[in-house]
């Protein structure tokens, strides 16, 4: 079955959007399976930059059907704005072209207010969340008191449930966090309006996907965030609250264990992170500014969702190997190779050192990386501009050697290399 999964191997922001854009040319369905509008996928087409938070990036191709899986938490205000944005750009978005899982959870202003209040209460131990309400929305899901998309189909009952949810949150906000209460009635009216508009899109998306797969149609599952932000397997507690790793595509779309054609892991040619948490190969000062950019370009290392400057560092081979195993990655896409052009030498972390010796793999996962120090290998940098390269042979020898080193460390082939933000600036091997 032509089912493919695209995941980030790092802390998100690997450039998955553009790899999805490339691979969705042949897809019938493009599906998001985790997260919410904490994600920010940037795709540049013909000088025009699309920033998508909730809709699958592959919807920029007009032949695709977009799916929002049950693994998501959906802020309907953001979703409707995005639907409008695509329409303004000449794309059709109607119930034939977009399906939203009946079992996806709703993200409300209550979740956003709680996210802000809880972060403020954490003081110095802040996670550095995107403030979009993601953690509290998944908390309600797990606590079995969340509102799901299917609740919107019965508006009187929905209004009742939503009112109870907002009133309960108000008690938390005022009594526990000394925060302002929410305007319950206004939110109920606003959401009743969303229910009317979104009802025709709500369906069993797992059944839709199976039907397409059985007819031989290609389905592309797009992970948001990255492996190291996975709730179970990431740098806990500095993680998001969903399952960005590849197995999440099955549970997050309502599918059984089915054959997966390939799992494409997207990795930046270096490493970035937003928010708090461990980062063994982080760099500071001039080198950090060099890798991050100034913020003048849309591809500089500033958060798509929050605008925060990203922390930057060298590629971490230990964490990359870990991501290969967790996702079952079959091939890699390396993005932003062009950013490394002109550096005298490039470091790559191949192992960690602790007082117990040298480790090529993590003894216990990445939650506590404090005992480790990165062991680097230094490779000579290339001085040529690679932005015009379209074939493997166009790359300077030293850039090819860097890619080959990534293949040796990860144990999988590098199939795609991006050398610039434009759709065409990619090498397919
Ligand atoms: P939350 O998902 O808003 O709860 O944030 C939890 C952590 O995940 C924070 O460190 C965020 O910066 C990070 N995070 C969430 N979404 C993304 C993303 O799409 N890219 C990069 N980091 C993210």
């Amino acid at each position: 079955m032509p089912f493919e999964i695209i995941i980030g191997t790092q802390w998100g922001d690997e450039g998955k959007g553009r790899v999805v854009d490339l691979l969705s040319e042949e897809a019938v369905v493009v599906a998001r399976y985790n997260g919410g509008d904490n994600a920010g996928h940037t795709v540049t087409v013909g000088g025009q930059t699309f920033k998508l938070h909730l809709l699958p990036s592959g919807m920029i191709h007009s032949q695709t059907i977009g799916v929002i899986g049950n693994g998501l938490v959906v802020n309907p205000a953001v979703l409707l704005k995005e639907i409008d944005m695509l329409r303004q750009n000449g794309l059709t978005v109607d119930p034939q072209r977009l399906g939203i899982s009946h079992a996806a959870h709703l993200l409300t202003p209550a979740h956003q207010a709680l996210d802000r209040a809880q972060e403020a209460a954490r003081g110095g131990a802040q996670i550095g969340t995107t403030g979009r309400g993601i953690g509290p929305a998944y908390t309600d899901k797990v606590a079995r008191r969340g509102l799901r998309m299917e609740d919107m189909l019965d508006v009187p009952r929905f209004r009742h449930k939503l009112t109870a949810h907002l009133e309960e949150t108000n008690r938390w906000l005022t009594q526990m966090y000394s925060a302002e209460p929410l305007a319950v009635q206004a939110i109920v009216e606003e959401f009743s309006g969303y229910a009317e508009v979104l009802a025709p899109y709500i369906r069993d998306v797992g059944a839709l996907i199976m039907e397409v797969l059985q007819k031989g149609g290609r389905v592309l599952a797009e992970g948001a965030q990255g492996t190291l932000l996975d709730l179970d397997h990431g740098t806990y507690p500095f993680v998001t609250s969903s399952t960005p790793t590849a197995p999440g595509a099955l549970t997050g779309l309502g599918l059984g264990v089915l054959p997966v054609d390939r799992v494409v892991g997207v990795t930046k040619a270096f490493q970035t992170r937003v928010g708090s948490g461990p980062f063994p190969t982080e760099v500071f000062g001039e080198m950090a500014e060099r890798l991050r950019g100034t913020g003048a370009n849309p591809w500089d290392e500033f958060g798509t969702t929050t605008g925060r400057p990203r922390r930057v560092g060298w590629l971490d081979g230990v964490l990359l190997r870990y991501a290969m195993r967790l996702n079952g990655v079959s091939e890699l896409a390396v993005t932003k190779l062009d950013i490394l052009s002109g550096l005298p030498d490039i470091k790559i972390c191949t192992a960690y050192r602790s007082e117990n010796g040298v480790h090529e793999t993590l003894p216990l996962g990445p939650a506590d990386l404090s005992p480790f120090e990165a062991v680097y290998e230094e490779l000579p940098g290339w001085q040529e501009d690679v932005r015009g390269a379209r074939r493997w042979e166009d790359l300077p020898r030293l850039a090819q050697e860097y890619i080959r080193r990534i293949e040796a460390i990860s144990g999988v082939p590098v199939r795609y290399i991006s050398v610039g933000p434009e759709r065409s600036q990619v090498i397919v091997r």
Side-chain angles (χ1 to χ4, degrees):
M1 278 195 228
F3 184 63
E4 303 176 338
I5 306 174
I6 300 189
I7 56 94
T9 63
Q10 300 169 323
W11 284 288
D13 307 317
E14 296 91 352
K16 294 178 292 295
R18 59 164 319 173
V19 178
V20 168
D21 176 56
L22 184 75
L23 300 188
S24 48
E25 262 166 31
E26 314 259 297
V28 176
V29 169
V30 287
R32 272 277 306 268
Y33 62 84
N34 77 297
D37 63 303
N38 49 348
H41 294 154
T42 310
V43 186
T44 305
V45 186
Q48 194 182 7
T49 299
F50 292 88
K51 290 190 180 203
L52 293 169
H53 299 283
L54 267 172
L55 288 172
S57 315
M59 282 193 81
I60 293 181
H61 289 271
S62 58
Q63 92 286 355
T64 55
I65 299 170
V67 159
I68 291 184
N70 57 277
L72 276 86
V73 287
V74 179
N75 178 334
V78 172
L79 179 62
L80 290 171
K81 234 187 248 162
E82 250 166 51
I83 290 176
D84 260 1
M85 191 261 287
L86 288 196
R87 284 184 181 147
Q88 276 164 21
N89 284 287
L91 289 157
T92 304
V93 186
D94 59 19
Q96 273 68 53
R97 247 212 102 198
L98 174 66
I100 306 171
S101 167
H102 61 288
H105 274 246
L106 267 175
L107 188 148
T108 72
H111 298 129
Q112 293 168 314
L114 282 171
D115 196 357
R116 284 191 296 269
Q118 289 168 355
E119 271 288 84
R122 285 185 191 113
Q126 282 190 355
I127 294 169
T129 72
T130 58
R132 298 298 159 112
I134 305 299
Y138 281 108
T139 302
D140 274 354
K141 170 177 174 169
V142 176
R144 298 166 293 185
R145 57 172 182 240
L147 289 136
R148 312 208 305 178
M149 291 306 296
E150 63 188 345
D151 287 319
M152 286 184 153
L153 298 174
D154 179 345
V155 174
R157 254 189 82 219
F158 175 60
R159 288 172 70 93
H160 186 71
K161 271 180 105 166
L162 182 60
T163 304
H165 157 73
L166 295 169
E167 283 173 350
E168 185 183 333
T169 306
N170 274 348
R171 286 194 288 278
W172 280 99
L173 286 171
T174 52
Q175 292 169 25
M176 173 94 181
Y177 298 108
S178 309
E180 287 297 308
L182 298 158
V184 174
Q185 213 43 48
I187 297 171
V188 172
E189 293 314 320
E190 184 188 334
F191 272 63
S192 303
Y194 297 149
E196 214 164 291
V197 185
L198 290 175
Y201 295 88
I202 298 169
R203 57 189 298 176
D204 181 344
V205 298
L208 163 75
I209 292 176
M210 276 317 284
E211 206 181 302
V212 170
L213 284 173
Q214 275 159 357
K215 285 186 190 147
R218 189 164 291 276
V219 174
L220 202 71
E222 308 181 15
Q225 290 84 45
T227 303
L228 303 171
L229 289 174
D230 186 279
L231 177 60
D232 292 86
H233 303 292
T235 47
Y236 192 89
F238 301 102
V239 291
T240 191
S241 301
S242 70
T243 305
T245 43
L250 300 173
T251 49
L253 291 171
L255 300 170
V257 179
L258 46 80
V260 177
D261 247 20
R262 56 178 179 162
V263 178
V264 181
V266 185
T267 178
K268 233 173 245 185
F270 47 104
Q271 196 98 6
T272 66
R273 151 160 235 176
V274 267
S276 326
F279 189 165
T281 59
E282 185 166 14
V283 298
F284 303 91
E286 252 173 55
M287 183 53 76
E289 278 165 32
R290 168 70 178 69
L291 293 175
R292 184 182 300 120
T294 57
N297 305 306
W299 56 87
D300 286 347
E301 297 294 349
F302 290 76
T304 314
T305 300
T306 58
R308 289 180 289 181
R310 294 181 187 140
R311 298 159 65 193
V312 292
W314 300 115
L315 187 64
D316 189 323
V318 178
L319 295 179
L320 186 62
R321 268 194 294 265
Y322 176 68
M324 298 300 101
R325 170 169 74 81
L326 269 180
N327 293 288
V329 168
S330 54
E331 55 200 81
L332 279 174
V334 174
T335 58
K336 296 192 86 166
L337 187 71
D338 52 305
I339 301 297
L340 299 182
S341 296
L343 292 175
D345 36 48
I346 298 170
K347 287 187 182 181
I348 187 163
C349 164
T350 52
Y352 288 164
R353 188 180 296 114
S354 77
E355 59 184 26
N356 299 321
V358 172
H359 313 259
E360 291 205 341
T361 54
L362 292 166
L364 273 186
D368 184 11
L369 294 178
S370 60
F372 305 113
E373 187 195 326
V375 177
Y376 291 107
E377 189 175 295
E378 261 184 47
L379 300 172
W382 58 93
Q383 304 310 306
E384 300 89 335
D385 184 354
V386 296
R387 287 175 296 181
R390 294 293 174 272
R391 297 169 311 158
W392 172 249
E393 306 83 70
D394 298 339
L395 284 178
R397 185 182 53 83
L398 293 175
Q400 292 181 345
E401 277 176 18
Y402 184 63
I403 296 291
R404 287 213 177 94
R405 198 66 195 104
I406 294 175
E407 290 183 319
I409 287 169
S410 63
V412 302
V414 171
R415 192 80 65 204
Y416 306 93
I417 303 161
S418 86
V419 291
E422 260 296 330
R423 201 177 233 179
S424 62
Q425 287 178 294
V426 73
I427 296 166
V428 182
R429 285 169 83 200

